[in-house]
Amino acid sequence: MRVGVLTGGGDCPGLNAVIRAVVRKGVKTHGFEFVGYRDGWKGPLEGYTMELGVPQVRGILPRGGTILGSSRTNPFKIEGGVEQIKDNLAKDGVDALVAIGGEDTLGVATKLADLGVNVVGVPKTIDNDLSGTDFTFGFDTAVNIATEAIDRLHTTAESHHRVLVVEVMGRHAGWIALHSGIAGGANIVLIPEQPFDIEEVCRLVESRFESRFSPILVVSEGAIPKEGGDMTLISGEKDAFGHVRLGGIGDRIAAEIENRTGKEARAVVLGHVQRGGTPTAFDRWLATRFGLQAVDAVADREFGTMMALRGTDIIRVPLIEGTGELKLVSPEEYAEAEVFFG
Amino acid sequence: MRVGVLTGGGDCPGLNAVIRAVVRKGVKTHGFEFVGYRDGWKGPLEGYTMELGVPQVRGILPRGGTILGSSRTNPFKIEGGVEQIKDNLAKDGVDALVAIGGEDTLGVATKLADLGVNVVGVPKTIDNDLSGTDFTFGFDTAVNIATEAIDRLHTTAESHHRVLVVEVMGRHAGWIALHSGIAGGANIVLIPEQPFDIEEVCRLVESRFESRFSPILVVSEGAIPKEGGDMTLISGEKDAFGHVRLGGIGDRIAAEIENRTGKEARAVVLGHVQRGGTPTAFDRWLATRFGLQAVDAVADREFGTMMALRGTDIIRVPLIEGTGELKLVSPEEYAEAEVFFG
Amino acid sequence: MRVGVLTGGGDCPGLNAVIRAVVRKGVKTHGFEFVGYRDGWKGPLEGYTMELGVPQVRGILPRGGTILGSSRTNPFKIEGGVEQIKDNLAKDGVDALVAIGGEDTLGVATKLADLGVNVVGVPKTIDNDLSGTDFTFGFDTAVNIATEAIDRLHTTAESHHRVLVVEVMGRHAGWIALHSGIAGGANIVLIPEQPFDIEEVCRLVESRFESRFSPILVVSEGAIPKEGGDMTLISGEKDAFGHVRLGGIGDRIAAEIENRTGKEARAVVLGHVQRGGTPTAFDRWLATRFGLQAVDAVADREFGTMMALRGTDIIRVPLIEGTGELKLVSPEEYAEAEVFFG
Amino acid sequence: MRVGVLTGGGDCPGLNAVIRAVVRKGVKTHGFEFVGYRDGWKGPLEGYTMELGVPQVRGILPRGGTILGSSRTNPFKIEGGVEQIKDNLAKDGVDALVAIGGEDTLGVATKLADLGVNVVGVPKTIDNDLSGTDFTFGFDTAVNIATEAIDRLHTTAESHHRVLVVEVMGRHAGWIALHSGIAGGANIVLIPEQPFDIEEVCRLVESRFESRFSPILVVSEGAIPKEGGDMTLISGEKDAFGHVRLGGIGDRIAAEIENRTGKEARAVVLGHVQRGGTPTAFDRWLATRFGLQAVDAVADREFGTMMALRGTDIIRVPLIEGTGELKLVSPEEYAEAEVFFG
């Protein structure tokens, strides 16, 4: 049996660990051969392949990035894209695909599965916002990097009477902010699910100073002020790529706090540092086990499924479960962090 | 309401995070007062207390160790011990206890609960071998430290044609070896649950060298050879404390491999490095949530329970569930690592 | 003999290590007593002291920040400030001062020494721009943090065809950018000493993409464009504290590159993360040895001196040597990094 | 001009950084071509080469190990070895060699230079015991790894009333023990240059316990007891390779302390973890600058020289200076650490 493997979407520590596990177990246990498709769905679309066997996956377990490359190419947005993919798979003699990716990549996989392509999915999102699985790999790495940054800021905040704002990833979901805020002992955590009131934020900042300690705020990049809230600086310009530039939300909140409270406030923007580099042990273990289970699912011909973590088990769920709905931070989960505010 | 808190057994990163969460939420949400009992069950036994409030828990979240101290004192092995504890709790005006510890400490808690003491337990074992919970805090830290060590050894093993043996914690259960072995890409993992055949180990070592790579072995401190196996060096002398000394199992396996294969073999013994220092983000998050839930259990007067992680939820289970039986690595779980052997 | 100790200026990993060494050796070898002056020169100015002995310095070696607090108070800018300091020293029975700080703090020390105050200085600047010493403590920590960030960005840059800009500390001197740029394998390093031409930067960015690799730029916060250079975005607004806000130079260069080359560009702003937290082994060793030597200089009554690293020796130089002139990156030193550009 | 490059001796973080700098600057500035000789002097001896150009050195800067491999082969111990080397260099069209290694590898280089081979040396020893240079690369990495281990042990030592012994590298010189002991705040440091008295060690251990703290000892692998000292356990058996096995000096000292003081004592043996993995920023900077200077020395035809760090400058010294005599810890340098003993 010949199996194609591809990775799509943004960078995420653990991608290489999945690829390695798929190939190592596929070769050893099932006697499969593999084809590496490059740059996400662009690979099968354009027949863009690379050799993929045990020698190619040697030494990649601890490495960030993906040896297969990635892209956001969507074959459903390309005239005749699906036919091209089917043709290329047939030409390459590929019977089944393992697609590793997030909402978009697995969304394509879901539709292709409906159209008869043999595909199993491995969920990937650094933001941890995919439904159907307890955790996704890459998330633990991002949370640890953010937590280490917060740890380092504590001494500076305390010795120097300054407000420090840490902007972390999370466009739609606040998981990274929530977990790193709890783990780092942040004094305020702002997430997209809970629009913030800048006046209340400033009140918390000032009450923290009154007890002679400096506040550290952790802010998701997608955090937003309450509607009607007076925070003009937030309506920043967008660049050619549609992103708010020259100061994300972290910079803007720091500026607001400085203007409103008169306290010096500084932002740290970790950006892509959170999604590169070597994965934590947890992410390597999770990614490896997703890979092992995915190749077994191929062997079992359980196509149209996605791997998911439930407790300590890796199970198979319908692809649609993972891509149907974003997993957001609930008010109850946010309340756990609020105990430590101020 | 006055609540006592104690920590027992060996060191484990996250103990301070539990204490902090118990106190912070207890004071803020429930209006509790706290008494710190020092050195495990010795504290309530001897009325050995310390002040415990919000100021005492400030800044302790990222710190290893426990501000309360610890011991292995067992009141049931002391004449009149239980009565003394009851008397001291009464004298201190303590209505309920939060006991943070492993098999032994929670075993005492279980019996005291039967005798009418109001106690809730928080499970603690770096070895991750307590039943009833998906993970215990401290384990993720230990696995990351072991994995980083294995990462560093890979380049040396490859450049210098040498066998490297990493001895990790795990007297009865192989969880640390299994997880760090998978995460670090070890070539052989030996755990207490699966007695090893030294000849088979040497065969794997040699086959690894034949493919021109040097092997890295991860070995639980409690790994044992198969009965009847010819490994005389293992029957080492015991010291005054009953531990095999002057070379644990890691040293002994390295010596055997060297003697049998003629390849140079070296051991790394991480020892207590694995159980000290700052906890990972995961362990801080888990420990904090155990603490939050434990103090809520006290408020709900759900005594005789232990906190447990199930998926991403913290639930309460009867104390007996956690202390009844060790959670061991199953043959199926071990087989996941075996795919990568050799 | 009673000796006062104070720390001034911005945060810098290693301050506590100096304090500990001064006290430990002062007590053990010289039989000194110590007075901790709080918040830099504010301490002796206002008689603001804390107890300082062996118990106070226990456990502080690996901790960031300073147990003495800090400030930028300058007694020479305060009417009668110098007299106040002399009076307070006399009142506290303090014969000599150890002043730990940068240009400003040691500048005050220099003038006070001229006015007859017994003072020895320990140089402190995270930017490594003090003359008279090979290195200052804190610098190695900052460089390591920046280097780890660059390491993590490499995989993301490569997998995702993106320009990544890392803004590091260095308002006047480019040492942190230079060292972390060399250590991290950056493709372009921009420092204050070498005004940059944005067009040349964009050419390097494009030539890097042509060889199919994504560029990583390391930029000092004080980097500036060549005069007459067309880079309008740089003339950003200043905030109430006089700092350019809502996007420092890193954000602005990323925006320029995006606009000019059409390549997506993202900035990482490490900010205060670089100056907080635990010091590296090198910084602890250097800070400890500065402290040991400083207290010996007090014992030898060699006042008006500053400790300095020369090779592997700690020597004493006149205070004026350290504070006279900034140590900048020379064109030859910059040329070493340029070999790796593009 | 064609230049050969080789690496010899034990593993050392930074080797790849030297190779990369030599090649990058050699190609860009001097227009050199390169030949990689594999496995140390075995490479030119047996004509065992690999391609070495800009593509081969891409991405290797942060990696431990050496892409050229290494060995301890000594051509002077092989009949006709020197002639073979000269023949192979001629056959490969190699005009000059860059030899990267320690005492042995540079010792060969020194003799070959006398015999007319064009060679420049780059000093490499993780133990930092080469004369003629302030520091060697790899040392800073080893010291940081040992210091992090000591940091982690502090909490365990304090919470659990236990003696912890950390065995670090250093067969002849105590630099790693000295620096990590100072940086980690060890209570006792034992090095080969200062034979220890086990009774005095036990006295320090006990006095430390009396002040209610647990002691941490850092011990060089080459530490030795004073002659006539009663420490029978040290006369351990040797294995087939001539190393004392089944418990190095760390294990033996722990056993002695346990037997003599009745306190539980545990050893941590970091072993090869100290010499593998990614180099620190300092080591990458130093290794890179050694490489840049070495290839310039080749261009200047300054053969028979070795690169050396003096202050912040890289200078060229005669090869014999580096290999003549070991650099040992002086009594004065040891005394700096002794201030913190007990």
Side-chain angles (χ1 to χ4, degrees):
Chain A
M1 191 165 177
R2 264 170 89 74
V3 180
V5 184
L6 65 85
T7 55
D11 204 6
C12 194
L15 286 168
N16 282 326
V18 181
I19 299 167
R20 170 180 172 268
V22 165
V23 171
R24 289 288 296 268
K25 181 155 200 189
V27 168
K28 186 166 180 175
T29 306
H30 304 298
F32 290 169
E33 285 177 9
F34 289 93
V35 174
Y37 281 112
R38 298 190 69 104
D39 289 357
W41 290 110
K42 201 178 164 192
L45 192 73
E46 304 185 1
Y48 184 27
T49 63
M50 64 175 272
E51 211 180 333
L52 185 62
V54 170
Q56 282 73 38
V57 301
R58 205 182 298 286
I60 68 173
L61 170 62
R63 303 245 173 98
T66 158
I67 59 165
L68 296 175
S70 183
S71 76
R72 301 196 182 276
T73 301
N74 183 337
F76 288 95
K77 293 190 174 157
I78 289 159
E79 180 75 30
V82 174
E83 290 319 301
Q84 252 174 273
I85 284 182
K86 287 187 168 178
D87 289 354
N88 279 322
L89 295 182
K91 209 172 60 191
D92 297 334
V94 165
D95 305 303
L97 275 178
V98 176
I100 309 160
E103 230 190 326
D104 295 342
T105 305
L106 296 190
V108 170
T110 310
K111 288 197 219 162
L112 286 177
D114 287 346
L115 297 170
V117 176
N118 293 336
V119 59
V120 304
V122 173
K124 179 232 67 163
T125 151
I126 201 143
D127 290 347
N128 199 37
D129 58 1
L130 268 180
S131 296
T133 183
D134 286 352
F135 291 107
T136 45
F137 61 86
F139 172 66
D140 186 62
T141 303
V143 170
N144 271 288
I145 291 169
T147 301
E148 281 167 33
I150 300 167
D151 277 0
R152 289 201 168 267
L153 295 175
H154 272 293
T155 55
T156 289
E158 277 163 31
S159 315
H160 298 272
H161 320 300
R162 211 178 251 131
V163 183
L164 291 165
V165 178
V166 186
E167 183 187 306
V168 299
M169 284 186 308
R171 213 168 281 276
H172 307 295
W175 295 109
I176 293 177
L178 183 75
H179 279 239
S180 65
I182 287 177
N187 308 108
I188 304 172
V189 175
L190 304 179
I191 63 173
E193 294 91 335
Q194 298 275 347
F196 63 87
D197 176 344
I198 189 73
E199 285 182 27
E200 202 190 311
V201 167
C202 289
R203 267 195 302 278
L204 279 167
V205 162
E206 280 171 336
S207 90
R208 176 87 183 155
F209 274 114
E210 273 155 30
S211 55
R212 298 200 310 130
F213 292 93
S214 308
I216 294 179
L217 289 77
V218 176
V219 178
S220 301
E221 62 182 327
I224 46 168
K226 271 189 179 145
E227 253 184 272
D230 173 21
M231 185 160 162
T232 48
L233 285 171
I234 277 193
S235 56
E237 59 276 50
K238 295 198 177 178
D239 65 22
F241 294 80
H243 306 299
V244 174
R245 288 307 311 268
L246 293 183
I249 184 71
D251 281 311
R252 285 161 202 282
I253 287 175
E256 283 282 344
I257 291 173
E258 204 162 277
N259 290 338
R260 285 162 184 264
T261 67
K263 301 286 180 188
E264 234 186 305
R266 290 287 165 271
V268 166
V269 183
L270 294 174
H272 283 72
V273 170
Q274 295 159 89
R275 63 192 321 147
T278 198
T280 57
F282 183 91
D283 281 339
R284 297 186 198 179
W285 170 81
L286 179 56
T288 296
R289 294 184 72 217
F290 274 163
L292 296 177
Q293 187 66 228
V295 81
D296 284 351
V298 169
D300 294 344
R301 305 194 69 81
E302 273 209 51
F303 300 117
T305 59
M306 179 189 94
M307 307 308 111
L309 178 71
R310 293 283 167 84
T312 60
D313 294 326
I314 309 295
I315 61 165
R316 303 168 193 173
V317 301
L319 264 168
I320 195 72
E321 268 194 41
T323 57
E325 215 177 324
L326 277 189
K327 183 176 67 178
L328 300 177
V329 176
S330 71
E332 293 70 33
E333 286 162 320
Y334 187 64
E336 289 192 347
E338 277 183 304
V339 171
F340 301 100
F341 282 11
Chain B
M1 190 163 177
R2 265 171 88 75
V3 179
V5 184
L6 64 86
T7 54
D11 205 5
C12 192
L15 286 169
N16 281 327
V18 180
I19 299 167
R20 171 181 172 266
V22 164
V23 170
R24 290 287 295 267
K25 181 155 201 191
V27 169
K28 187 166 180 175
T29 305
H30 305 299
F32 290 168
E33 284 177 9
F34 289 93
V35 174
Y37 282 112
R38 299 190 69 108
D39 289 358
W41 289 112
K42 200 180 165 191
L45 192 73
E46 305 184 0
Y48 185 26
T49 64
M50 63 175 274
E51 213 181 330
L52 185 62
V54 170
Q56 281 74 37
V57 301
R58 206 183 296 288
I60 68 171
L61 170 61
R63 303 246 174 99
T66 158
I67 59 165
L68 296 175
S70 183
S71 75
R72 300 196 183 273
T73 302
N74 184 338
F76 288 95
K77 294 189 174 158
I78 289 160
E79 180 75 29
V82 174
E83 289 319 298
Q84 250 174 275
I85 284 184
K86 286 186 168 180
D87 289 353
N88 279 322
L89 296 181
K91 209 173 61 192
D92 297 335
V94 164
D95 304 303
L97 276 178
V98 175
I100 310 160
E103 230 191 327
D104 295 341
T105 306
L106 296 189
V108 171
T110 310
K111 289 197 219 162
L112 285 177
D114 287 345
L115 298 170
V117 177
N118 293 335
V119 58
V120 303
V122 173
K124 180 232 66 162
T125 151
I126 202 143
D127 289 347
N128 199 37
D129 57 1
L130 267 180
S131 297
T133 183
D134 285 353
F135 290 107
T136 47
F137 62 86
F139 172 66
D140 185 61
T141 303
V143 171
N144 271 286
I145 290 169
T147 301
E148 280 167 34
I150 300 168
D151 279 359
R152 289 200 169 268
L153 294 176
H154 272 294
T155 55
T156 287
E158 278 163 31
S159 316
H160 298 273
H161 320 299
R162 210 178 251 132
V163 183
L164 291 165
V165 178
V166 186
E167 183 187 306
V168 300
M169 283 184 310
R171 212 168 281 276
H172 307 295
W175 295 109
I176 293 177
L178 183 75
H179 279 240
S180 65
I182 288 176
N187 307 107
I188 305 173
V189 175
L190 304 179
I191 62 174
E193 294 90 337
Q194 298 275 345
F196 63 87
D197 176 344
I198 188 72
E199 284 182 27
E200 202 189 311
V201 169
C202 288
R203 267 196 301 278
L204 280 167
V205 163
E206 279 171 336
S207 89
R208 177 85 183 156
F209 274 115
E210 272 156 31
S211 55
R212 297 201 309 130
F213 292 93
S214 308
I216 294 180
L217 287 79
V218 177
V219 178
S220 301
E221 59 181 328
I224 45 167
K226 270 189 182 148
E227 255 184 89
D230 172 22
M231 187 161 160
T232 47
L233 286 170
I234 277 193
S235 56
E237 59 277 50
K238 296 199 175 179
D239 65 20
F241 294 80
H243 306 299
V244 174
R245 289 306 312 271
L246 294 182
I249 184 71
D251 280 310
R252 285 162 202 281
I253 287 174
E256 282 281 345
I257 292 173
E258 206 162 276
N259 289 338
R260 285 162 183 264
T261 68
K263 301 283 180 190
E264 233 186 308
R266 288 288 164 271
V268 166
V269 183
L270 295 174
H272 284 72
V273 170
Q274 296 160 88
R275 64 192 319 148
T278 198
T280 58
F282 183 91
D283 281 337
R284 297 187 199 179
W285 169 82
L286 178 56
T288 296
R289 294 183 72 217
F290 274 163
L292 296 177
Q293 187 68 227
V295 80
D296 284 352
V298 169
D300 294 345
R301 305 195 69 81
E302 273 209 51
F303 300 118
T305 59
M306 180 190 94
M307 307 307 111
L309 178 71
R310 291 284 166 84
T312 61
D313 294 326
I314 309 295
I315 62 165
R316 302 168 195 171
V317 300
L319 263 168
I320 195 72
E321 268 194 39
T323 56
E325 216 178 324
L326 277 189
K327 184 175 67 177
L328 299 178
V329 176
S330 71
E332 293 72 32
E333 286 163 319
Y334 187 65
E336 288 192 347
E338 277 184 304
V339 172
F340 301 101
F341 282 10
Chain C
M1 191 165 175
R2 265 172 89 76
V3 179
V5 185
L6 64 84
T7 54
D11 205 5
C12 193
L15 286 168
N16 282 327
V18 181
I19 299 166
R20 169 180 173 268
V22 165
V23 171
R24 289 287 297 266
K25 180 155 200 189
V27 169
K28 185 165 181 176
T29 306
H30 305 299
F32 290 170
E33 284 176 9
F34 289 93
V35 174
Y37 282 112
R38 298 190 68 105
D39 289 358
W41 289 110
K42 200 178 165 193
L45 192 74
E46 304 185 0
Y48 184 26
T49 63
M50 63 174 274
E51 212 179 332
L52 185 62
V54 170
Q56 282 73 39
V57 301
R58 204 182 299 285
I60 68 173
L61 170 62
R63 305 245 173 99
T66 157
I67 59 165
L68 296 175
S70 183
S71 76
R72 301 195 182 275
T73 302
N74 183 338
F76 288 95
K77 292 190 175 156
I78 287 160
E79 181 74 30
V82 174
E83 290 319 300
Q84 251 175 274
I85 284 183
K86 287 185 169 180
D87 288 354
N88 280 321
L89 296 181
K91 211 173 60 193
D92 298 333
V94 164
D95 305 303
L97 275 178
V98 175
I100 310 160
E103 230 191 328
D104 295 341
T105 305
L106 296 189
V108 170
T110 310
K111 288 196 218 162
L112 286 176
D114 287 346
L115 297 169
V117 176
N118 293 336
V119 58
V120 304
V122 172
K124 179 233 67 165
T125 151
I126 202 143
D127 290 347
N128 199 38
D129 58 0
L130 267 180
S131 296
T133 183
D134 286 352
F135 291 106
T136 45
F137 61 86
F139 171 67
D140 185 61
T141 304
V143 171
N144 271 288
I145 291 169
T147 301
E148 281 167 33
I150 300 167
D151 278 0
R152 288 201 169 268
L153 294 175
H154 271 293
T155 54
T156 288
E158 277 162 32
S159 315
H160 298 272
H161 321 300
R162 209 177 254 132
V163 183
L164 290 165
V165 178
V166 186
E167 184 187 305
V168 299
M169 283 186 308
R171 212 167 282 276
H172 307 295
W175 295 110
I176 293 176
L178 184 75
H179 279 239
S180 63
I182 287 177
N187 307 107
I188 304 173
V189 175
L190 304 178
I191 62 174
E193 294 91 333
Q194 297 276 346
F196 63 86
D197 176 344
I198 189 72
E199 286 182 25
E200 203 190 309
V201 168
C202 289
R203 267 196 302 277
L204 279 167
V205 162
E206 280 171 334
S207 89
R208 176 85 183 157
F209 274 114
E210 273 156 29
S211 54
R212 298 201 309 131
F213 293 92
S214 307
I216 294 180
L217 288 78
V218 176
V219 179
S220 301
E221 61 181 327
I224 47 168
K226 271 189 180 145
E227 255 185 88
D230 172 23
M231 184 159 163
T232 48
L233 286 171
I234 278 194
S235 58
E237 60 276 48
K238 295 197 177 181
D239 65 20
F241 295 80
H243 305 299
V244 175
R245 288 306 313 270
L246 294 182
I249 185 70
D251 280 310
R252 285 161 202 282
I253 287 175
E256 282 281 344
I257 291 172
E258 204 161 278
N259 290 337
R260 285 162 184 264
T261 67
K263 301 285 180 189
E264 232 186 309
R266 289 288 166 270
V268 165
V269 183
L270 294 174
H272 284 72
V273 170
Q274 295 161 88
R275 62 192 320 148
T278 198
T280 58
F282 183 91
D283 281 338
R284 297 186 199 180
W285 169 80
L286 179 56
T288 296
R289 293 184 73 217
F290 274 163
L292 296 176
Q293 187 67 225
V295 80
D296 284 351
V298 169
D300 294 344
R301 304 194 69 81
E302 273 210 52
F303 300 117
T305 59
M306 180 190 95
M307 307 308 112
L309 178 71
R310 291 284 168 83
T312 60
D313 294 325
I314 309 294
I315 62 166
R316 303 167 193 173
V317 300
L319 263 168
I320 194 72
E321 268 194 40
T323 58
E325 216 178 323
L326 276 189
K327 184 176 67 178
L328 299 177
V329 175
S330 70
E332 292 72 32
E333 286 163 318
Y334 187 65
E336 289 192 347
E338 278 184 304
V339 172
F340 301 102
F341 281 12
Chain D
M1 190 164 176
R2 265 171 89 75
V3 179
V5 185
L6 65 85
T7 53
D11 205 6
C12 193
L15 286 168
N16 282 326
V18 180
I19 299 167
R20 170 181 172 267
V22 165
V23 171
R24 289 287 295 268
K25 181 157 200 188
V27 169
K28 186 167 181 173
T29 306
H30 304 299
F32 290 169
E33 284 176 8
F34 289 92
V35 173
Y37 282 112
R38 298 190 69 107
D39 289 358
W41 289 111
K42 200 179 165 192
L45 192 74
E46 305 185 0
Y48 184 26
T49 63
M50 63 175 273
E51 212 180 332
L52 185 62
V54 170
Q56 282 73 37
V57 301
R58 205 182 297 286
I60 68 172
L61 170 62
R63 304 245 174 99
T66 160
I67 58 166
L68 297 175
S70 183
S71 75
R72 299 195 183 275
T73 301
N74 184 338
F76 287 94
K77 294 192 174 154
I78 289 160
E79 179 76 29
V82 174
E83 289 320 298
Q84 251 174 276
I85 284 183
K86 287 186 169 179
D87 289 354
N88 278 321
L89 295 182
K91 210 172 62 192
D92 298 334
V94 164
D95 305 303
L97 276 178
V98 176
I100 310 160
E103 230 191 327
D104 295 341
T105 305
L106 296 190
V108 169
T110 309
K111 289 197 218 163
L112 286 177
D114 286 346
L115 298 170
V117 176
N118 293 335
V119 59
V120 303
V122 173
K124 180 233 66 164
T125 151
I126 202 143
D127 289 347
N128 199 38
D129 57 1
L130 267 180
S131 296
T133 182
D134 285 353
F135 290 107
T136 46
F137 61 85
F139 172 66
D140 186 61
T141 303
V143 171
N144 271 287
I145 290 169
T147 302
E148 281 167 34
I150 300 167
D151 278 0
R152 289 201 168 267
L153 294 176
H154 271 295
T155 55
T156 287
E158 278 163 30
S159 314
H160 297 273
H161 320 299
R162 211 179 252 132
V163 183
L164 291 165
V165 178
V166 186
E167 183 187 305
V168 299
M169 283 184 309
R171 212 168 281 276
H172 307 295
W175 295 109
I176 293 177
L178 183 75
H179 279 239
S180 64
I182 287 177
N187 307 108
I188 305 173
V189 175
L190 304 179
I191 63 175
E193 293 91 337
Q194 297 276 346
F196 63 88
D197 176 344
I198 189 72
E199 285 182 26
E200 202 189 310
V201 168
C202 289
R203 267 195 302 277
L204 280 166
V205 162
E206 279 172 335
S207 89
R208 177 85 184 157
F209 274 114
E210 273 156 31
S211 54
R212 298 200 310 131
F213 293 93
S214 308
I216 293 180
L217 288 79
V218 177
V219 178
S220 302
E221 60 181 327
I224 46 167
K226 269 187 182 148
E227 254 184 271
D230 173 23
M231 185 160 161
T232 47
L233 285 170
I234 277 192
S235 56
E237 59 276 50
K238 295 199 175 177
D239 65 19
F241 294 81
H243 305 299
V244 174
R245 287 307 311 270
L246 294 182
I249 184 70
D251 281 310
R252 285 160 202 282
I253 288 175
E256 283 281 345
I257 292 173
E258 206 162 275
N259 290 338
R260 286 162 183 266
T261 68
K263 301 284 181 189
E264 232 185 308
R266 288 287 165 272
V268 165
V269 183
L270 295 173
H272 284 72
V273 169
Q274 295 160 89
R275 64 193 319 149
T278 198
T280 58
F282 183 92
D283 281 338
R284 296 187 199 179
W285 169 82
L286 179 56
T288 295
R289 293 183 73 216
F290 274 163
L292 297 176
Q293 187 68 227
V295 81
D296 285 352
V298 169
D300 295 344
R301 306 195 67 83
E302 272 210 52
F303 300 117
T305 59
M306 179 191 95
M307 307 307 112
L309 176 72
R310 291 285 166 83
T312 61
D313 295 326
I314 309 295
I315 63 166
R316 303 169 194 172
V317 301
L319 263 168
I320 194 73
E321 268 193 40
T323 56
E325 216 177 323
L326 277 189
K327 184 176 66 176
L328 299 178
V329 176
S330 71
E332 294 71 32
E333 286 162 320
Y334 187 65
E336 289 191 346
E338 278 184 304
V339 172
F340 301 102
F341 282 12

